[in-house]
């Protein structure tokens, strides 16, 4: 059974990862709106960054 600090830590990890991925998505949409011709490169970079953030969040969740 998880203790209260572990539950709070896990919640903060999930919230932090969600905020990071949301920010990446929002910034990518703004960049695509400014330069539609670069949408492929922007989308690729966005997916890689989101995967890295999610991976770090997943690893941190196991460490908590």
């Amino acid at each position: 059974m998880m203790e209260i600090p572990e539950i709070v830590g896990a919640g903060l990890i999930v919230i932090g990862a969600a905020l990071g991925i949301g920010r990446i998505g929002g910034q990518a949409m703004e960049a695509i709106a400014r330069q539609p011709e670069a949408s492929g490169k922007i989308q690729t970079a966005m997916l890689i960054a989101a995967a890295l953030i999610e991976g770090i969040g997943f690893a941190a969740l196991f460490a908590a």
Side-chain angles (χ1 to χ4, degrees):
M1 184 143 168
M2 294 181 81
E3 298 288 328
I4 300 275
E6 291 176 350
I7 294 171
V8 171
L12 289 174
I13 291 168
V14 171
I15 290 171
L19 288 174
I21 292 171
R23 183 172 170 94
I24 287 173
Q27 295 293 321
M29 292 300 109
E30 288 180 15
I32 290 171
R34 284 192 298 265
Q35 286 187 313
E37 66 276 359
S39 64
K41 289 183 179 182
I42 294 168
Q43 187 176 18
T44 301
M46 176 192 71
L47 288 174
I48 291 170
L52 289 172
I53 288 175
E54 192 165 333
I56 290 170
F58 193 64
L61 202 55
F62 278 114

